[in-house]
Amino acid sequence: MKRLFSVCLLLGFLACGLAAATDPFSYPVGTVILDAGHGGHDPGASYAWSFTGGTIYERDLNLDITRRLAALLSVSHPELNIVQTRADDTYVSLDQRCSIAYTTPLKSLQSSLFVSIHVNSAQSPDAKGFEILTKRQEKRVVLLDDQTPLENLVLFSSSSLTGLNRMLNHRNLIVASTFAQTLSEQLITTANRGVKERDLYVLNASRMPSVLVEVGFITNEEDARNLSSPQFRQHLAQALSLAIEKCL
């Protein structure tokens, strides 16, 4: 019954519309979804280095960095609603991660931001540095359905699906560029591999401005040494926190 009611209400909003479309992604960010990639039986990338005393796993690095980032944001911006898709070493499917994101109710005239943290890998040991991944511009995604919280419907009701996708693409590029510039300024010894468009599930299905940050290569010795250092991971979390702050 609730699902049917949501659909009817959504159709009513879209049928009525408003005279002037408002960009719902331009509102101040009130909710930040932090997504630590992989977890549980999904280790992600891994590599054994002599200086780490064994194999290091992407899932563990992702979680540690995300926890540090959440703690920093909770202190610097207590007004934010910080949501973690996983807070421990458990497996969360891609669909579940996105559902957590788009079913989180938003306050009036506020938007949200999805930040997924990952560690890269490559066949070449020379590949190194961070890169910012964003949704492909030509990818048209579903933004509203019967799973959308009622509180969020009004935010999107004045625009068509095409218009919403266009506005989402615009905001995505701003967010991705902000992350790339901020991390480049803060992580001066880490190579900046730039912003890249990718057809990735979490970027398409989170239904909000989103970036996937590949913080470094586990297969590169310099990056791996950095990522295995708690001090560097704290510095990285601070850089990510500053990037998010610039997007609020």
Side-chain angles (χ1 to χ4, degrees), residues 177-228:
S177 297
T178 299
F179 268 73
Q181 180 178 347
T182 303
L183 266 61
S184 185
E185 293 170 350
Q186 297 298 312
L187 306 175
I188 58 176
T189 62
T190 304
N192 178 1
R193 297 169 61 89
V195 175
K196 301 178 180 180
E197 294 184 12
R198 291 290 186 269
D199 187 13
L200 299 176
Y201 190 88
V202 293
L203 297 178
N204 297 331
S206 55
R207 307 185 185 185
M208 62 184 63
S210 57
V211 289
L212 189 151
V213 185
E214 296 277 11
V215 297
F217 282 79
I218 203 171
T219 47
N220 174 265
E221 182 174 354
E222 181 181 352
D223 281 1
R225 284 187 181 275
N226 284 336
L227 291 169
S228 63

Side-chain angles (χ1 to χ4, degrees), residues 3 42 56 60 81 125 136 154 160-161 182 191 193 195 216 225:
R3 179 172 298 181
D42 175 14
I56 52 176
D60 301 326
N81 178 26
R136 294 184 67 88
V154 178
S160 65
L161 179 59
T182 303
R193 297 169 61 89
V195 175
R225 284 187 181 275

Side-chain angles (χ1 to χ4, degrees), residues 88-211:
D88 53 26
D89 186 25
T90 56
Y91 174 77
V92 182
S93 72
L94 296 179
D95 186 64
Q96 288 173 315
R97 294 168 191 270
C98 294
S99 179
I100 290 170
Y102 66 73
T103 60
T104 298
L106 299 176
K107 294 182 180 179
S108 177
L109 302 182
Q110 287 190 356
S111 63
S112 52
L113 176 65
F114 183 91
V115 180
S116 188
I117 305 300
H118 284 256
V119 176
N120 223 334
S121 65
Q123 290 186 334
S124 171
D126 296 326
K128 63 179 182 178
F130 71 84
E131 58 189 27
I132 311 300
L133 307 184
T134 186
K135 182 181 78 67
R136 294 184 67 88
Q137 292 281 296
E138 69 271 18
K139 183 72 175 183
R140 191 182 189 202
V141 299
V142 173
L143 291 164
L144 297 171
D145 61 14
D146 58 344
Q147 298 301 311
T148 304
L150 297 180
E151 297 91 334
N152 300 359
L153 291 175
V154 178
L155 293 173
F156 301 101
S157 63
S158 64
S159 300
S160 65
L161 179 59
T162 299
L164 287 171
N165 271 270
R166 183 174 61 250
M167 289 183 282
L168 176 60
N169 286 340
H170 176 70
R171 184 61 181 169
N172 272 339
L173 290 179
I174 293 175
V175 170
S177 297
T178 299
F179 268 73
Q181 180 178 347
T182 303
L183 266 61
S184 185
E185 293 170 350
Q186 297 298 312
L187 306 175
I188 58 176
T189 62
T190 304
N192 178 1
R193 297 169 61 89
V195 175
K196 301 178 180 180
E197 294 184 12
R198 291 290 186 269
D199 187 13
L200 299 176
Y201 190 88
V202 293
L203 297 178
N204 297 331
S206 55
R207 307 185 185 185
M208 62 184 63
S210 57
V211 289

